[in-house]
């Protein structure tokens, strides 16, 4: 564990942005290091597992709010809007975490080999929970981190390590939820197809009828199950995608509020400004200025992040 924590600190010292988040060239792997408690980080997570190595973070997903601490692996089992806040971190013991985005193709292939139990009912499928991190997961994470120093080896070795990591997840306490998620006939699996359309086409108008058809549901059933899983209506979900991406553009890429609004699909800048301020508690310009103030993170950087969830 100590060597893994040191590896995360070393990598984020070189590559983290102002909010402590570092993407990596290894597909689906990212990490976070913060030396002080943070404000709210708004993201739209894809299904992922997060290994908390040190410190603690509070996650809010819909009506669920929980604090996760060192030694736990956190599973987000659906494409969810998430608010994260690091609540335990210091210069000497920063918050450290590694996140791995799940690969549905690997989950489905392994589930087919392992055999799938009867899928859970939608009301029984948790979207956010944690268990004690198993040694096998830490070992996989450590080997993925080692590939960062051997970029030529990553394309050859990372697929096998990712496959092994997914196997251990399917064999452990996360098993039932992940097998249900991997089942294309489950409500979660069918909704994932509709959410993929929203993610790909969030800048344009997407009819609910098209989304419901993609999920193989009636309109009423689609609305019911979509809101149950994500806590939002399809329209609210698309708006959240737009606003989170707009914030990334203003904070990371230096876009003006007007440019960001049009880039993510808004036709009215005033409407964008109102909705941005309602979600992030500040208008775009003030939010960007505040984010550019010096922050206590792993290392100086020239950008700020929305969160470890989306795109990282």
């Amino acid at each position: 564990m100590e060597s893994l924590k040191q590896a995360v600190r070393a990598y984020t010292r070189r590559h983290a942005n102002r909010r402590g988040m570092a993407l990596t060239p290894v597909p689906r792997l990212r990490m976070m290091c913060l030396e002080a408690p943070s404000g709210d980080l708004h993201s739209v997570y894809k299904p992922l597992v997060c290994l908390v190595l040190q410190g603690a973070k509070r996650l809010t997903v819909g009506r669920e709010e929980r604090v996760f601490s060192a030694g736990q692996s956190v599973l987000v089992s659906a494409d969810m809007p998430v608010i994260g806040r690091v609540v335990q971190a210091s210069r000497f013991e920063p918050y450290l975490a590694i996140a791995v985005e799940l690969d549905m193709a690997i989950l489905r292939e392994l589930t087919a080999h392992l055999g799938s139990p009867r899928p859970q009912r939608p009301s029984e499928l948790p979207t956010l929970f944690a268990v004690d991190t198993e040694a096998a997961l830490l070992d996989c994470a450590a080997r993925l981190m080692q590939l960062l120093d051997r970029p030529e080896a990553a394309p050859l070795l990372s697929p096998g390590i990712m496959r092994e990591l997914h196997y251990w997840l399917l064999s452990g306490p996360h098993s039932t939820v992940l097998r249900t998620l991997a089942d294309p006939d489950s409500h979660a699996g069918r909704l994932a197809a509709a959410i993929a359309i929203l993610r790909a086409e969030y800048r344009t108008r997407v009819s609910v009828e098209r989304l419901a058809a993609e999920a193989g549901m009636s309109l009423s059933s689609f609305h019911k199950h979509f809101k149950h899983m994500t806590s939002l209506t399809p329209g609210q979900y698309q708006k959240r995608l737009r606003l989170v991406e707009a914030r990334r553009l203003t904070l990371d890429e230096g876009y003006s509020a007007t440019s960001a609004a049009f880039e993510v699909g808004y036709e009215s800048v005033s409407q964008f400004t109102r909705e941005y301020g309602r979600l992030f508690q500040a208008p775009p310009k003030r939010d960007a200025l505040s984010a550019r103030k010096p922050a206590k993170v792993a290392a100086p950087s020239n950008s700020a992040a929305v969160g470890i969830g989306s795109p990282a």
Side-chain angles (χ1 to χ4, degrees):
M1 175 73 86
E2 285 304 316
S3 61
L4 187 55
K5 289 193 286 187
Q6 290 174 12
V8 171
R9 293 199 74 174
Y11 190 85
T12 52
R13 190 174 296 116
R14 299 191 303 270
H15 300 287
N17 57 30
R18 285 183 180 272
R19 300 293 179 90
M21 184 180 70
L23 306 181
T24 79
V26 175
R28 301 179 182 272
L29 175 69
R30 63 221 53 173
M31 64 198 75
M32 185 174 240
C33 174
L34 273 177
E35 295 183 348
S38 72
D40 288 344
L41 301 172
H42 290 260
S43 310
V44 182
Y45 280 27
K46 292 184 177 180
L48 58 78
V49 62
C50 178
L51 311 183
V52 182
L53 307 179
Q54 187 167 272
K57 187 175 188 179
R58 184 175 69 234
L59 293 180
T60 304
V61 177
R63 292 176 292 275
E64 290 186 74
E65 181 176 291
R66 292 183 58 187
V67 174
F68 302 99
S69 56
Q72 293 185 305
S73 57
V74 184
L75 181 73
V76 179
S77 64
D79 289 67
M80 296 291 296
V82 175
I83 302 174
R85 176 186 284 265
V86 172
V87 295
Q88 181 182 328
S90 69
R91 179 181 176 185
F92 298 105
E93 292 191 352
Y95 172 80
L96 300 171
I98 295 175
V100 178
E101 184 183 310
L102 301 180
D103 187 317
M104 289 299 109
I106 295 177
L107 279 181
R108 286 173 182 149
E109 179 189 354
L110 293 178
T111 298
H113 283 291
L114 294 170
S116 178
R118 183 176 178 271
Q120 292 178 306
R121 295 170 57 87
S123 59
E124 297 169 347
L125 181 64
T127 53
L128 177 69
F129 69 100
V131 297
D132 292 340
T133 303
E134 297 182 322
L137 290 182
L138 290 172
D139 179 58
C140 289
R143 282 183 281 131
L144 288 173
M145 290 291 296
Q146 289 172 359
L147 295 180
L148 297 175
D149 294 325
R150 299 291 300 274
E152 76 284 357
L156 297 174
L157 300 181
S158 65
I161 300 173
M162 285 289 188
R163 183 180 173 87
E164 181 184 345
L165 183 144
H166 284 65
Y167 171 83
W168 293 122
L169 287 172
L170 282 167
S171 301
H174 296 307
S175 176
T176 303
V177 171
L178 289 175
R179 291 178 187 223
T180 301
L181 180 64
D183 181 357
D185 294 324
S186 69
H187 290 303
R190 291 157 66 186
L191 287 170
I195 289 174
I197 292 176
L198 282 175
R199 280 189 172 274
E201 303 179 27
Y202 68 89
R203 294 177 177 86
T204 60
R205 295 181 185 275
V206 180
S207 71
V208 181
E209 289 80 6
R210 179 187 170 196
L211 297 173
E214 187 68 25
M217 298 179 183
S218 66
L219 276 177
S220 60
S221 179
F222 176 74
H223 274 289
K224 173 186 174 183
H225 293 301
F226 190 98
K227 187 160 188 181
H228 179 90
M229 187 172 80
T230 68
S231 78
L232 300 174
T233 67
Q236 291 169 337
Y237 189 97
Q238 184 178 30
K239 183 192 298 183
R240 186 67 58 88
L241 289 171
R242 287 180 173 181
L243 291 171
V244 167
E245 173 62 8
R247 192 175 193 229
R248 187 192 69 81
L249 292 173
T250 57
L251 301 189
D252 291 5
E253 309 293 338
Y255 276 56
S256 67
T258 299
S259 297
F262 290 137
E263 178 67 22
V264 300
Y266 275 88
E267 299 175 358
S268 166
V269 176
S270 60
Q271 180 186 359
F272 165 74
T273 301
R274 285 195 306 273
E275 294 180 351
Y276 187 105
R278 191 175 301 126
L279 179 60
F280 301 121
Q281 305 301 308
K285 185 175 181 179
R286 191 200 310 163
D287 188 37
L289 290 173
S290 175
R292 290 178 186 129
K293 291 178 181 178
K296 296 179 181 179
V297 299
S301 179
N302 59 2
S303 64
V306 175
I308 198 170
S310 177

